[in-house]
């Protein structure tokens, strides 16, 4: 099959996982409404970078490794689950505090933190690791053209980055932000609870 056809097929298969809401979606969405458009876009960039690293690892055969050494999956799962519970606790704890920093005046330090938080959320998501592994294993030919392998990481960057950029732009616009500000405590409690559930679900999951 033509390399471009294969690439488009892989991207289409990945898209389902990319747009289905999970911890990454929640983090970008909340950052965009609660902080600023710029912070939301930085979170989207963090997701794109994290996903690209994950795609590279998958290309290097992490999936085969995860299958032959199941304890590695367990380690990834427990780390990811605990990280989600930690994020959940932070969101929950801050629910009742009104927003102090507004607009794009956030210190650079906070933006750096947002970037790493997003990248860590993506990288500690074993579901995403498995999705990349399975799709690459199933859809890449036995001897892919070098061009295809070179195109894949930037394509993943654009796919994940594009989706989360869209989420950030939509949710940082005035109407959703005003609504969030009005109902912050409730929304944060729900977001914290959902993050915690996702963490627990991950900890209890088999594969
Ligand atoms: N190809 C993937 N599964 N990427 C990770 C997507 C993460 C998922 N969409 C979330 O919001 O948490």
């Amino acid at each position: 099959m033509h390399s471009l056809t294969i690439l488009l097929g892989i991207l289409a298969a990945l898209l389902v996982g990319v747009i289905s809401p999970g911890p990454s979606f929640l983090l970008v969405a909340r950052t965009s409404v609660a902080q600023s458009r710029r912070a939301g876009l930085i979170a989207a960039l963090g997701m794109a970078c994290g996903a690209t690293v994950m795609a590279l690892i998958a290309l290097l055969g992490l999936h085969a490794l995860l299958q032959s050494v199941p304890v590695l999956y367990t380690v990834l799962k427990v780390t990811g689950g605990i990280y989600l519970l930690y994020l959940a606790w932070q969101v929950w704890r801050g629910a009742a505090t009104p927003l102090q920093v507004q607009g794009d005046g956030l210190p650079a330090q906070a933006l750096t933190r947002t970037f790493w938080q997003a990248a860590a959320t993506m990288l500690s998501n074993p579901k995403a690791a498995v999705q990349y592994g399975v799709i690459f294993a199933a859809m890449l030919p036995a001897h892919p053209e070098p061009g295809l392998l070179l195109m894949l990481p930037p394509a993943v960057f654009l796919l994940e980055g594009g989706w989360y950029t869209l989420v950030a732009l939509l949710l940082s616009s005035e109407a959703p932000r005003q609504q969030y500000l009005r109902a912050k405590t409730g929304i944060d409690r729900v977001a914290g609870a959902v993050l915690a559930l996702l963490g627990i679900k991950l900890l209890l999951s088999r594969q």
Side-chain angles (χ1 to χ4, degrees):
M1 222 194 308
H2 197 271
S3 282
L4 191 62
T5 320
I6 300 174
L7 181 68
L8 291 178
I10 291 179
L11 293 180
L14 285 172
L15 187 65
V16 181
V18 172
I19 63 178
S20 67
S24 303
F25 178 83
L26 212 57
L27 195 78
V28 174
R30 190 177 168 281
T31 306
S32 307
V33 284
Q35 296 184 14
S36 62
R37 174 158 290 179
R38 183 187 293 185
L41 291 174
I42 296 267
L45 182 67
M47 293 301 166
C49 292
T52 307
V53 170
M54 190 164 261
L56 286 172
I57 295 174
L59 280 179
L60 295 175
L62 177 78
H63 182 62
L65 195 65
L66 282 179
Q67 275 193 333
S68 53
V69 194
V71 71
L72 269 185
Y73 182 85
T74 310
V75 170
L76 206 60
K77 190 178 82 174
V78 171
T79 316
I82 291 175
Y83 183 65
L84 284 180
L85 288 178
Y86 163 77
L87 278 182
W89 167 240
Q90 295 230 314
V91 171
W92 180 277
R93 207 186 44 175
T97 348
L99 289 182
Q100 331 86 323
V101 239
Q102 270 278 7
D104 286 332
L106 281 181
Q109 221 181 355
L111 291 176
T112 312
R113 188 158 170 257
T114 298
F115 174 85
W116 287 113
Q117 205 175 40
T121 301
M122 179 63 79
L123 282 169
S124 66
N125 184 349
K127 303 256 155 162
V130 165
Q131 203 209 2
Y132 275 104
V134 169
I135 289 180
F136 288 175
M139 297 178 75
L140 278 178
H143 302 286
E145 279 175 29
L148 175 59
L149 293 180
L150 277 178
M151 286 298 292
L152 213 41
V156 162
F157 183 89
L158 291 178
L159 182 73
E160 300 253 6
W163 166 248
Y164 290 113
T165 297
L166 192 69
V167 172
L169 288 178
L170 287 177
L171 291 182
S172 61
S173 53
E174 217 33 53
R177 293 204 62 187
Q178 288 306 330
Q179 254 158 22
Y180 172 74
L181 287 180
R182 241 174 285 137
K184 176 175 182 298
T185 305
I187 292 175
D188 278 3
R189 291 257 142 91
V190 172
V194 172
L195 277 174
L197 281 179
L198 287 170
I200 292 169
K201 196 169 144 236
L202 187 58
L203 285 172
L204 296 180
S205 71
R206 284 263 174 102
Q207 172 53 284

